[in-house]
């Protein structure tokens, strides 16, 4: 589970912003009715879902992008060579190009809380640290500061939780996160953390990937068919088989200007669906089903895996090509889960409803005067009563985070006729 995320100096994010999934102390009647929106970790209530609202170009997508970037650094930085330039941009103004970008995540693994952070310049790691709370007391696993000289013993300090840590440090360049290298060098704790971010932190829906799709389908076919039925689909059965397709592989030799052709066999999946009206009549899934049905199939299959295994899902613009009732169905799947979590952005204001979501589950992103993105929660507005119309208040600009459009007929005529 994720408890807290902090980000700074990443695209439109200038100053540090915080996404807090630890539930606020809300004791009113509306919040008490939404107990399924929470789960307990020790003495903490944790939110299952967070929705982020904001105008186009406000920076809400950059929140998701920054989290994905941080996770991919953990998973891939051990592959960076000495010429690596990290693939992101800093905030453009106020000399932020000379300042580090920072990432912090508080998470729980095997019922123990961890705090992991790192900061980077465009081409090097600056700092990195990992702490945890065994027996509910904070303990250092390691700290790293590349500014403290050339000697690894000056740059690194360690607790007693990673075996032969300086062996790993000696093999860790300033392009590589220590936790990433330690995992590759078979250090158990680092491997567990790497596995958490690789398998539990889901950065988006899986697409049509043959081995992964087949594996998920074989594991959750029964639940998938039932979930599609609940979503008002008339599909009553789905079958997946492998087919082999001959393909030609063209290779160009630029030295002698020749072209060679090799015949290869590509293995693909064939999906066949069957409908309630005629259960024995097969449908070619990719040729005869609608785009909406295909999208729903893949999304539901992904989400079943996530909610059954208490994973975390990041989605930018969750409403894309989906009906509002389907989006609510997705939220309800997370509500019905044990400890699965969803962090998403959306423009769909129908979910600004305090009978369905707590105040601390709703975040806004607003573009400030200096062009940076500010992130804040509805819970920050102490004067907003539960009896008020939240959707109406948002659309009226009560919380900012909406576009200010001067589209009077006079202005539009002037624009067209100019």
């Amino acid at each position: 589970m994720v408890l807290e995320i902090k980000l700074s100096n990443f695209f439109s994010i200038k100053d540090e912003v915080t996404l807090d999934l630890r539930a606020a102390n809300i004791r009113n009647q509306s919040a008490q009715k939404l107990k399924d929106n929470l789960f307990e970790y020790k003495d903490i209530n944790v939110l299952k879902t967070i929705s982020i609202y904001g105008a186009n170009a406000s920076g809400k997508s950059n929140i998701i992008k920054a989290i994905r970037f941080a996770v991919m650094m953990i998973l891939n930085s051990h592959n960076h060579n000495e010429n690596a330039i990290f693939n992101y941009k800093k905030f453009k103004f106020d000399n932020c190009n000379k300042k580090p970008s920072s990432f912090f995540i508080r998470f729980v693994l095997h019922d123990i809380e961890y705090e992991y952070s790192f900061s980077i310049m465009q081409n090097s790691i600056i700092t990195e640290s990992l702490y945890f709370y065994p027996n509910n007391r904070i303990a250092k696993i390691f700290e790293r500061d590349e500014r403290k000289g050339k000697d690894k013993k000056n740059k690194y300090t360690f607790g007693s939780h990673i075996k032969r840590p300086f062996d790993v440090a000696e093999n860790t360049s300033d392009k590589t996160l220590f936790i990433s290298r330690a995992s590759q060098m078979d250090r158990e704790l680092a491997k567990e953390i790497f596995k958490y971010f690789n398998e539990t932190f889901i950065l988006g829906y899986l697409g049509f990937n043959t081995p992964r799709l087949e594996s998920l389908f074989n594991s959750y076919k029964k639940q998938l068919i039932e979930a599609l039925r609940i979503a008002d689909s008339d599909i009553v059965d789905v079958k997946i088989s492998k087919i082999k397709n001959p393909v030609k592989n063209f290779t160009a030799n630029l030295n002698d200007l020749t072209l060679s052709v090799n015949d290869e066999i590509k293995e693909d999946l064939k999906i066949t669906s069957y409908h309630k009206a005629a259960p024995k009549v097969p449908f070619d899934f990719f040729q005869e089903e609608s785009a909406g049905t295909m999208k729903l199939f893949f999304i539901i299959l992904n989400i079943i895996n996530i909610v059954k295994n208490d994973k975390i899902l990041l989605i930018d613009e969750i409403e894309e090509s989906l009906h509002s009732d389907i989006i609510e169905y997705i939220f309800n799947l997370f509500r019905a889960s044990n400890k699965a979590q969803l962090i998403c952005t959306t423009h769909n204001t129908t979910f600004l409803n305090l009978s369905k979501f707590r105040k601390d589950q709703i975040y806004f992103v607003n573009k400030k005067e200096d062009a940076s993105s500010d992130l804040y929660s509805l819970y920050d507005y102490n004067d907003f009563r539960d009896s008020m119309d939240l959707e109406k208040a948002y659309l009226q600009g009560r919380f900012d985070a909406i576009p200010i459009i001067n589209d009077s007929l006079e202005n539009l005529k002037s624009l067209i006729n100019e």
Side-chain angles (χ1 to χ4, degrees):
M1 76 189 70
V2 174
L3 300 179
E4 184 183 23
I5 297 172
K6 297 180 181 181
L7 312 159
S8 73
N9 201 10
F10 184 94
F11 286 90
S12 64
I13 303 168
K14 176 190 172 186
D15 301 320
E16 185 176 83
V17 298
T18 300
L19 199 63
D20 198 340
L21 286 93
R22 295 167 297 183
N25 185 22
I26 306 175
R27 297 185 178 276
N28 59 37
Q29 189 174 5
S30 296
Q32 290 175 1
K33 292 179 180 178
L34 297 173
K35 61 181 181 180
D36 288 329
N37 292 28
L38 307 171
F39 63 86
E40 290 186 7
Y41 165 67
K42 296 184 177 179
D43 58 346
I44 301 172
N45 285 323
V46 183
L47 302 172
K48 292 182 179 179
T49 65
I50 278 183
S51 299
I52 304 172
Y53 288 83
N56 293 109
S58 63
K60 63 185 182 300
S61 293
N62 288 334
I63 304 295
I64 302 295
K65 189 185 295 183
I67 300 170
R68 287 173 174 165
F69 174 83
V71 173
M72 294 308 294
M73 280 287 292
I74 295 168
L75 301 181
N76 294 329
S77 69
H78 61 276
N79 293 319
H80 292 166
N81 60 38
E82 62 181 11
N83 298 317
I85 303 294
F86 304 139
N87 186 26
Y88 81 103
K89 300 294 183 182
K90 298 182 179 182
F91 186 70
K92 283 284 188 181
F93 313 121
D94 295 338
N95 289 319
C96 285
N97 63 313
K98 298 178 181 179
K99 302 174 184 178
S101 304
S102 65
F103 308 85
F104 168 94
I105 181 166
R106 187 189 307 274
F107 63 99
V108 175
L109 173 63
H110 300 323
D111 213 35
I112 297 175
E113 183 177 334
Y114 289 79
E115 296 176 1
Y116 177 68
S117 65
F118 65 91
S119 65
I120 59 175
M121 296 299 283
Q122 203 72 53
N123 61 355
S124 63
I125 311 293
I126 303 300
T127 64
E128 185 182 6
S129 69
L130 180 64
Y131 285 82
F132 72 154
Y133 291 79
N135 304 315
N136 295 319
R137 297 183 63 182
I138 191 168
K140 178 170 67 177
I141 298 173
F142 75 89
E143 278 190 353
R144 168 191 189 183
D145 190 335
E146 291 287 335
R147 299 166 296 189
K148 290 187 175 180
K150 295 183 179 181
D151 193 330
K152 298 287 186 179
K153 291 187 177 180
N154 292 330
K155 297 178 182 180
Y156 286 87
T157 58
F158 295 97
S160 59
H161 310 286
I162 295 180
K163 65 179 182 181
R164 302 192 308 280
F166 278 105
D167 288 356
V168 178
E170 291 296 337
N171 286 279
T172 304
S173 75
D174 65 356
K175 311 284 187 180
T176 302
L177 293 173
F178 177 88
I179 200 68
S180 180
R181 177 66 67 203
S183 173
Q184 300 306 306
M185 293 182 67
D186 205 33
R187 300 307 192 262
E188 287 302 322
L189 180 57
K191 284 166 59 178
E192 287 295 322
I193 292 173
F194 185 96
K195 182 178 179 182
Y196 167 83
F197 284 103
N198 188 42
E199 297 182 4
T200 305
F201 221 103
I202 309 301
L203 305 184
Y205 299 128
L206 294 174
F208 182 61
N209 179 282
T210 301
R212 188 70 179 128
L213 177 66
E214 185 179 24
S215 173
L216 287 179
F217 178 80
N218 290 337
S219 297
Y220 303 119
K221 176 181 176 179
K222 180 180 178 181
Q223 293 91 339
L224 172 64
I225 300 299
E226 176 61 12
L228 290 173
R229 185 194 66 79
I230 293 172
D232 199 30
S233 169
D234 65 347
I235 292 177
V236 294
D237 195 12
V238 178
K239 294 180 180 178
I240 289 183
S241 59
K242 291 182 179 179
I243 57 174
K244 294 182 178 181
N245 293 318
V247 296
K248 293 188 180 296
N249 183 31
F250 295 88
T251 303
N253 188 325
L254 298 181
N255 293 322
D256 58 9
L257 300 180
T258 60
L259 184 69
S260 61
V261 181
N262 296 313
D263 291 324
E264 295 183 355
I265 299 296
K266 182 182 178 182
E267 192 170 68
D268 291 320
L269 287 184
K270 179 181 179 181
I271 303 179
T272 306
S273 53
Y274 300 84
H275 292 253
K276 184 177 181 179
K280 294 184 179 181
V281 178
F283 277 65
D284 185 312
F285 190 78
F286 294 107
Q287 297 296 324
E288 298 179 286
E289 295 290 0
S290 69
T293 296
M294 288 189 282
K295 188 177 183 71
L296 182 63
F297 176 92
F298 290 116
I299 287 175
I300 294 298
L301 183 56
N302 275 267
I303 289 178
I304 289 172
N305 173 46
I306 290 164
V307 298
K308 284 184 68 67
N309 294 287
D310 295 334
K311 298 183 180 184
I312 304 106
L313 174 64
L314 292 176
I315 291 294
D316 190 19
E317 297 191 11
I318 192 171
E319 72 275 13
E320 187 178 7
S321 301
L322 294 175
H323 191 278
S324 294
D325 289 346
I326 297 298
I327 304 169
E328 184 166 6
Y329 178 36
I330 292 171
F331 282 125
N332 286 336
L333 282 168
F334 279 88
R335 288 191 185 103
S337 74
N338 184 20
K339 296 180 180 180
Q341 292 174 286
L342 168 67
I343 300 171
C344 68
T345 68
T346 182
H347 289 289
N348 194 322
T349 59
T350 61
F351 300 111
L352 290 172
N353 185 334
L354 292 179
S355 68
K356 297 179 180 180
F357 295 92
R358 294 162 48 98
K359 289 182 178 180
D360 49 2
Q361 291 182 275
I362 298 168
Y363 275 75
F364 304 107
V365 176
N366 188 52
K367 185 67 70 72
K368 298 195 292 186
E369 288 291 329
D370 65 357
S372 68
S373 297
D374 190 19
L375 176 69
Y376 48 93
S377 168
L378 177 62
Y379 180 71
D380 296 331
Y381 289 81
N382 296 324
D383 61 338
F384 189 83
R385 300 189 303 274
D386 288 7
S387 59
M388 295 180 178
D389 187 328
L390 176 56
E391 181 180 16
K392 182 179 179 180
Y394 171 70
L395 293 175
Q396 290 176 338
R398 172 76 183 272
F399 316 109
D400 294 323
I402 61 168
I404 306 300
I405 302 173
N406 185 4
D407 60 345
S408 67
L409 192 58
E410 180 181 350
N411 278 350
L412 297 182
K413 285 183 176 180
S414 174
L415 169 69
I416 294 169
N417 297 320
E418 188 175 89

